[in-house]
Amino acid sequence: MNPINKFIVQFVKILPQQVVYIFAKKYVAGPKLEDAIRVVQELNSKGIMATMDVLGESITKKSEAEETKKHCFDMLDVIKKYNLDANVSIKPTSLGLNLDKEFCYNQIEEIVKKAKEYNNFIRIDMEDTPYTDSTFNILKRIREKYDNVGVVVQAYLRRTYDDIVKLNKEGVNYRLCKGIYVEPEHLAYKGRQEVRENFVKILDQMLSDGNYVGIATHDDYLIKESYRLIEEKKLPKDKYEFQMLYGVTEHLRDKINADGHRIRIYVPWGEHWYAYSIRRLQENPQVAWYITKSIFSLK
Ligand SMILES: Cc1cc2nc3c(=O)[nH]c(=O)nc-3n(C[C@H](O)[C@H](O)[C@H](O)COP(=O)(O)OP(=O)(O)OC[C@H]3O[C@@H](n4cnc5c(N)ncnc54)[C@H](O)[C@@H]3O)c2cc1C
């Protein structure tokens, strides 16, 4: 991140939350489930799929995790009720991974079970490295009972290629992304091109081994490389999909859709939008311009 953008994000962090929401709202559907339903319906009308996510992470009480689980049930209910083309993404720490691993496992199992009843799918997001092993353990245990669950892996982690070589044999369904958390250098590649090369190497291996992959990136270079691999391997369209975040690079989203690939948008919603939105602002290479524009378009 360049120093001006870094300064801008630090400045945004000292503003009151109501002000930050002016910049954050581009990246979140809104505070209510109805907001997410509306956004998913708009996407579906363009032939774009969605994954819904209720925001919130690293909770401090089990009751908060139960609240998150209830929101997940509600999402599954509305997807069924309104016949939405959507699944649900979950964050293990919002379901108690940071409090009690067994409790978290049970919470996630209940969600996957309910999704199974609805013939739907649950994607387990990947958080920072203190949770990597326990997230994989939960995935493995749940997969012993259910097949409608997949996980996220992060190309910036040095361990990921070795992880997926093992997981591929079990037919795991993946989302592959670069990774967003700040990790130490002995655990994560830091160079932009290094991360990209690892992404391509991992994707190549996953697709060669026949695993379903959600290719989650807005990086032009990686999208071109993914197109190349898909073509080389003559992959049918139901063996992969592209994934992007709500509010990011819509022109690329529309191009991929127009090219006839499956594409799914991550639609976050909920009252706890702050941490997520700050991460998005940090990733926006034009954050200074974006914030200036948002201020001047205020009515
Ligand atoms: C569907 C989905 C789910 C994800 N789930 C996880 C997860 O479970 N765990 C995890 O660690 N990470 C997750 N991520 C985040 C991911 O790891 C990256 O941090 C994020 O996608 C940015 O990486 P990039 O590949 O788009 O490359 P970048 O190099 O960051 O971005 C490429 C280009 O996209 C544009 N761009 C990117 N972000 C923004 C933005 N916020 N605003 C405006 N333009 C932008 C810019 O033009 C930029 O040059 C997810 C990402 C997606 C798309």
Side-chain angles (χ1 to χ4, degrees):
M1 196 184 207
N2 78 41
I4 298 175
N5 286 354
K6 209 170 179 170
F7 172 78
I8 299 262
V9 174
Q10 289 311 324
F11 174 70
V12 168
K13 283 187 193 167
I14 59 168
L15 297 173
Q17 289 217 3
Q18 306 92 291
V19 180
V20 179
Y21 191 70
I22 296 168
F23 319 124
K25 64 180 187 225
K26 166 183 162 74
Y27 299 119
V28 294
K32 301 267 176 274
L33 180 55
E34 294 73 57
D35 298 315
I37 297 171
R38 176 184 38 78
V39 166
V40 172
Q41 283 172 331
E42 277 164 26
L43 291 167
N44 285 175
S45 71
K46 297 178 181 154
I48 297 173
M49 305 177 290
T51 186
M52 297 166 86
D53 168 63
V54 61
L55 291 167
E57 50 206 86
S58 290
I59 45 119
T60 53
K61 290 193 263 327
K62 287 187 177 173
S63 58
E64 292 174 90
E66 273 153 3
E67 185 69 11
T68 303
K69 181 179 71 186
K70 191 181 164 300
H71 285 314
C72 293
F73 287 171
D74 293 344
M75 285 189 276
L76 289 165
D77 285 337
V78 298
I79 290 170
K80 171 92 180 148
K81 180 173 172 197
Y82 296 105
N83 199 20
L84 303 176
D85 191 350
N87 60 34
V88 170
S89 288
I90 55 173
K91 278 206 171 26
T93 62
S94 76
L95 290 156
L97 187 60
N98 52 330
L99 302 178
D100 175 345
K101 288 183 187 144
E102 197 55 28
F103 167 77
C104 178
Y105 164 76
N106 288 322
Q107 296 269 100
I108 295 183
E109 195 200 306
E110 276 185 63
I111 296 168
V112 174
K113 180 169 180 271
K114 180 157 173 115
K116 182 75 186 171
E117 285 160 16
Y118 283 160
N119 201 20
N120 207 328
F121 180 85
I122 301 296
R123 172 75 59 197
I124 306 179
D125 285 357
M126 188 59 82
E127 298 172 87
D128 37 346
T129 45
Y131 304 112
T132 313
D133 283 323
S134 28
T135 302
F136 282 137
N137 287 339
I138 290 175
L139 171 85
K140 279 187 190 160
R141 283 178 68 191
I142 294 192
R143 276 180 46 86
E144 285 164 15
K145 293 192 189 168
Y146 299 100
D147 58 1
N148 58 320
V149 62
V151 75
V152 179
V153 294
Q154 298 152 321
Y156 67 1
L157 289 189
R158 295 177 190 274
R159 60 176 282 172
T160 299
Y161 182 76
D162 294 336
D163 285 333
I164 65 107
V165 166
K166 285 182 235 139
L167 290 171
N168 283 2
K169 296 195 185 94
E170 296 167 29
V172 169
N173 178 316
Y174 297 106
R175 173 194 298 148
L176 172 62
C177 66
K178 285 184 182 172
I180 178 68
Y181 301 90
V182 181
E183 299 290 354
E185 193 158 356
H186 69 280
L187 298 178
Y189 297 110
K190 294 288 172 185
R192 184 170 168 77
Q193 196 56 25
E194 261 184 322
V195 175
R196 282 171 160 173
E197 278 162 21
N198 202 39
F199 191 113
V200 176
K201 177 177 158 189
I202 292 167
L203 179 61
D204 193 351
Q205 194 63 52
M206 288 170 166
L207 296 176
S208 300
D209 289 345
N211 294 73
Y212 188 92
V213 191
I215 308 166
T217 183
H218 320 90
D219 186 342
D220 238 342
Y221 172 92
L222 288 179
I223 292 167
K224 283 192 193 114
E225 283 296 287
S226 306
Y227 272 37
R228 177 182 65 74
L229 289 173
I230 289 163
E231 199 162 317
E232 257 175 39
K233 295 178 196 304
K234 305 204 180 329
L235 276 186
K237 299 251 186 296
D238 61 353
K239 291 287 179 202
Y240 66 89
E241 64 190 44
F242 285 89
Q243 295 187 355
M244 288 188 180
L245 301 171
Y246 179 64
V248 180
T249 59
E250 282 157 6
H251 61 289
L252 276 179
R253 174 198 79 183
D254 292 341
K255 178 173 185 315
I256 292 172
N257 192 30
D259 288 343
H261 301 284
R262 285 152 59 87
I263 178 150
R264 185 181 303 276
I265 300 300
Y266 189 95
V267 179
W269 65 277
E271 307 284 348
H272 304 290
W273 48 267
Y274 186 81
Y276 174 87
S277 303
I278 292 287
R279 290 204 293 272
R280 296 287 79 83
L281 288 171
Q282 265 159 349
E283 279 185 330
N284 186 340
Q286 262 108 42
V287 67
W289 167 237
Y290 167 63
I291 286 184
T292 315
K293 213 173 56 177
S294 308
I295 292 168
F296 283 103
S297 60
L298 283 178
K299 303 232 164 67

